Amino acid sequence: MPADAGVIPALTRWGLSADADLVFRALALLGPADGHRLARELGLAKARTKSALDELAAAGAIAASGGTWAARDPDEVARRLRRRQPPPPPEADRWRQHFATIEGLAGVAPPDRHARLWPSRAATRKRVAQLAAVERHEHLTINNEPVISAESMSAAQPVDRRLAARGVRLRVIDRDRPPLPATSGPPVPLGPVRYVATPPMKLMVFDRKVALFPADPLDLERGYVEVADESFVAALCTLFERLWAQGRDPHRQEVIPIDLSPRESALVGLLALGHTDQTAADELGLSPRTVAYTLRALMDRMGVRNRFQLALALGAAGAVPPETWQPTEENRPT
């Protein structure tokens, strides 16, 4: 019998996922349904719907009947969950204290509901695999660990590869560590990466809908918190974008200073004033072939393929040619 919407408790307060809460409400309001109908009516992927049904069945919140699922009495479900749910340990709320110190999050009220504790790294990795399996658009990561363990890398790499293979965009904000030898350094990221000196937290965001972060920032073995609260996840995404904008892009080309020889400087200056190879050669007392060889050697040093690129590279490097150049016996290049 469908229940009155006003008496359906939020199951997330007892640690169930947002998907499980949504499916339970649908069953309580609309009556029994099978997984295909629920997925269609709620707009959830079939895998997410099945995971939510499994979660509700394990919690005793729903029962199977003739190929369909039916919600148990919401009050009885609430009593059952209340009895089985132990009080959270004091360290489970340390993340709230930590968030109060982070710029951009200090003024955002942490959710009192929609927060679920995964009590260990092993449990968290299983949950990451579940969330990543249904991720479709974007995966955001902030890593602030001083050292990335081999265990963490071996757990993360297969998940990242599967996401990238499905076309999910991966972006990573990592701690700016000293460079390591190629044999011991972390793997090349599968998406864009930015480096920040001291990222304020460790974080994963799945499709901008669900966030995971350590329950105790000082002890990652105490588990992770999962939050699906829309406004709070949005605040975490805003923090990510701010750090991304401030981070160091390893692919941005740095301008390398270059010292020109007297001959190169004089030649560049004359060409900048509009001289041809021939007239520049005449001014410098060189052959046109020597001028061509000099420019070719300069392009090779600057890593460019033509004279236009050479002019841009020299300008960026600060090798600005003089406005005028009058050769004399004293300053004529040799």
Side-chain angles (χ1 to χ4, degrees):
M1 185 77 176
D4 182 356
V7 300
I8 301 176
L11 303 189
T12 51
R13 73 178 66 177
W14 293 291
L16 272 70
S17 68
D19 283 351
D21 181 74
L22 178 62
V23 169
F24 179 78
R25 287 176 179 277
L27 290 172
L29 291 170
L30 304 177
D34 60 23
H36 294 291
R37 180 188 171 192
L38 287 167
R40 183 175 63 254
E41 295 288 340
L42 299 176
L44 283 178
K46 291 180 181 179
R48 289 177 63 179
T49 304
K50 182 180 184 304
S51 178
L53 289 169
D54 291 344
E55 189 178 348
L56 290 168
I62 59 175
S65 175
T68 63
W69 292 95
R72 297 186 185 277
D73 177 72
D75 290 337
E76 175 58 32
V77 170
R79 285 192 291 271
R80 182 192 299 265
L81 292 175
R82 196 177 294 115
R83 286 195 300 269
R84 78 164 196 164
Q85 183 74 12
E91 60 269 15
D93 272 347
R94 288 182 183 169
W95 63 272
R96 298 176 188 271
Q97 303 168 19
H98 176 60
F99 278 26
T101 68
I102 299 176
E103 182 183 354
L105 294 181
V108 180
D112 292 326
R113 300 186 302 178
H114 307 293
R116 180 179 188 181
L117 176 64
W118 296 94
S120 67
R121 272 193 166 186
T124 302
R125 285 170 182 151
K126 291 181 180 179
R127 183 55 176 162
V128 168
Q130 293 173 350
L131 292 170
V134 296
E135 202 169 9
R136 290 294 176 267
H137 305 293
E138 186 177 43
H139 186 84
L140 307 178
T141 299
I142 300 177
N143 183 28
N144 66 349
E145 294 182 77
V147 177
I148 303 177
S149 68
E151 182 184 8
S152 294
M153 284 193 289
S154 64
Q157 287 176 26
V159 174
D160 288 350
R161 282 196 293 267
R162 287 193 291 269
L163 288 172
R166 293 205 311 270
V168 176
R169 186 189 186 201
L170 291 89
R171 287 197 288 160
V172 177
I173 294 174
D174 203 356
R175 189 175 184 128
D176 207 349
R177 305 176 186 86
L180 296 173
T183 55
S184 59
V188 176
L190 297 177
V193 62
R194 297 286 172 88
Y195 293 102
V196 175
T198 53
M201 66 182 299
K202 188 174 176 66
L203 173 70
M204 283 179 285
V205 181
F206 303 80
D207 278 341
R208 296 182 177 256
K209 293 180 180 178
V210 179
L212 275 173
F213 47 82
D216 183 353
L218 300 179
D219 187 354
L220 301 183
E221 297 302 326
R222 292 190 180 275
Y224 280 65
V225 175
E226 176 183 336
V227 173
D229 180 81
E230 184 176 351
S231 60
F232 195 69
V233 173
L236 292 172
C237 290
T238 299
L239 170 67
F240 180 95
E241 296 297 350
R242 177 172 61 82
L243 294 172
W244 183 265
Q246 296 172 353
R248 178 176 66 84
D249 183 353
H251 298 294
R252 183 174 299 162
Q253 295 296 325
E254 302 291 340
V255 174
I256 302 174
I258 182 169
D259 292 325
L260 300 180
S261 69
R263 172 181 290 174
E264 291 169 337
S265 180
L267 178 57
V268 168
L270 287 173
L271 295 177
L273 292 174
H275 281 263
T276 66
D277 285 11
Q278 182 64 61
T279 59
D282 293 341
E283 287 287 330
L284 296 173
L286 303 172
S287 70
R289 185 182 297 272
T290 300
V291 168
Y293 285 157
T294 301
L295 289 174
R296 181 69 263 170
L298 190 53
M299 284 188 280
D300 290 343
R301 282 169 57 200
M302 298 295 290
V304 298
R305 290 177 296 191
N306 55 53
R307 296 188 184 192
F308 178 73
Q309 293 176 348
L310 178 62
L312 294 178
L314 289 171
V320 181
E323 296 183 3
T324 60
W325 183 82
Q326 296 295 329
T328 65
E329 291 302 322
E330 288 75 17
N331 65 17
R332 184 180 297 277
T334 58

